Amino acid sequence: MGDLRASLSASGAMFLVGTLAAVSASVSSYPVYGGQAVRYILAALILFAVAHARGHGLVRLTGREWAYLLGLAATGIVAFNVFVVEGTRYASAAFIGTIVGTVPVVLAVIGPLAAGKRPSPRVLIGALVVVGGATLATGLGTGTPRGILFSVGALACEVCFSMLALPLLPKLGAIRVSAYAGAASVPMLLVLGFATAGTDALRMPTMPEALGLTYLAVIVSAGAFLLWYSALSTLGADRAGLFAGCLPIGAIVTAALLGQGLPAVAELAGAAVVIAGVLIGIRPRRPATDRLTVLASLT
């Protein structure tokens, strides 16, 4: 996969995740963790079916690989949902989104360091611009000290969602990483669901709830996971992280399409800044030999 295709996959993944907020309104009355369990059961079944159709069978994992996979499911999926859901009790959605929206900067630093490399100044500058644009689009919102802690926890889980997948991608590939992670999260979500809602955790959904859960499973989970992990192995965590800025763009567009309000000037300006930051960070660096050739031709 070339950089252009990977960039389109990463931006598409984050755009689809951005549709989550608007669509979640249709399932807001369904038990949260039971709904998440249903969502990831469906997503995992779809992804395993896609893997089978492409001839990708099950793979035996080592103990270390199981640790990465279970850590990915526990943090990047389950704990992330817990922090976001509980965080909304103490902070506005905009505040949580602003904190989690700093993930491009974190990945721009942690990604290269984990690979034994120095962070790219160009990618870091692009990440800062992306965060600025996302903040402008979503607004700062309000939050309490507990809200800050939950938001930072969600940010850490979002980082784990990418970093813990990187060691698994060479062996499993994007489809199986997505399928395995989704399946591994289901038992954990069911435990949370029954602990918080009892037997109602998996009640029969209404038609709007069923449609909403299906969308979240097929598009936001299976589709976005596959696109994201396909891009991650090509771009690396630092450059792929830039596209997290596309998340508020997806939220703005979806809200407008569903009649939940047209975007404000600040939201449109923020989206433009996000796109500029992505272009800054993702632009291929010209090799030193090419720069010397250009300089020589000017002298």
Side-chain angles (χ1 to χ4, degrees), residues 68-83 157 160 164 181 184-185 188:
Y68 281 126
L69 178 65
L70 294 176
L72 168 60
T75 58
I77 297 177
V78 178
F80 178 81
N81 278 284
V82 172
F83 283 131
C157 291
C160 290
L164 292 177
S185 71
M188 307 177 200

Side-chain angles (χ1 to χ4, degrees), residues 164-195:
L164 292 177
L166 284 172
L168 299 171
L169 286 170
K171 181 174 182 177
L172 296 179
I175 300 176
R176 284 180 293 205
V177 167
S178 303
Y180 284 27
S185 71
V186 172
M188 307 177 200
L189 289 166
L190 287 175
V191 169
L192 283 171
F194 288 123

Side-chain angles (χ1 to χ4, degrees), residues 81-98:
N81 278 284
V82 172
F83 283 131
V84 170
V85 170
E86 297 302 321
T88 56
R89 303 177 190 271
Y90 306 100
S92 67
F95 180 86
I96 296 173
T98 299

Side-chain angles (χ1 to χ4, degrees), residues 16-233:
L16 293 178
V17 172
T19 68
L20 172 67
V23 176
S24 291
S26 64
V27 297
S28 59
S29 60
Y30 195 87
V32 175
Y33 299 116
Q36 294 297 319
V38 171
R39 167 186 170 185
Y40 287 108
I41 287 172
L42 293 175
L45 290 174
I46 292 169
L47 289 165
F48 278 122
V50 172
H52 178 74
R54 295 189 179 184
H56 302 317
L58 298 177
V59 176
R60 184 184 297 275
L61 300 179
T62 65
R64 174 174 291 184
E65 289 166 343
W66 271 112
Y68 281 126
L69 178 65
L70 294 176
L72 168 60
T75 58
I77 297 177
V78 178
F80 178 81
N81 278 284
V82 172
F83 283 131
V84 170
V85 170
E86 297 302 321
T88 56
R89 303 177 190 271
Y90 306 100
S92 67
F95 180 86
I96 296 173
T98 299
I99 297 297
V100 176
T102 63
V103 69
V105 175
V106 179
L107 289 177
V109 175
I110 293 179
L113 291 178
K117 302 177 182 178
R118 296 174 62 181
S120 165
R122 176 175 47 81
V123 174
L124 186 56
I125 291 171
L128 290 169
V129 174
V130 166
V131 170
T135 302
L136 178 60
T138 59
L140 291 174
T142 58
T144 65
R146 284 189 179 183
I148 294 174
L149 290 176
F150 279 121
S151 300
V152 172
L155 169 62
C157 291
E158 185 70 8
V159 172
C160 290
F161 183 73
S162 294
M163 297 304 299
L164 292 177
L166 284 172
L168 299 171
L169 286 170
K171 181 174 182 177
L172 296 179
I175 300 176
R176 284 180 293 205
V177 167
S178 303
Y180 284 27
S185 71
V186 172
M188 307 177 200
L189 289 166
L190 287 175
V191 169
L192 283 171
F194 288 123
T196 56
T199 55
D200 286 337
L202 292 177
R203 67 167 174 80
M204 183 65 68
T206 63
M207 182 56 69
E209 289 172 341
L211 292 174
L213 289 171
T214 300
Y215 177 88
L216 294 177
V218 177
I219 304 300
V220 179
S221 296
F225 276 30
L226 182 57
L227 288 172
W228 181 251
Y229 286 140
S230 296
L232 190 63
S233 58

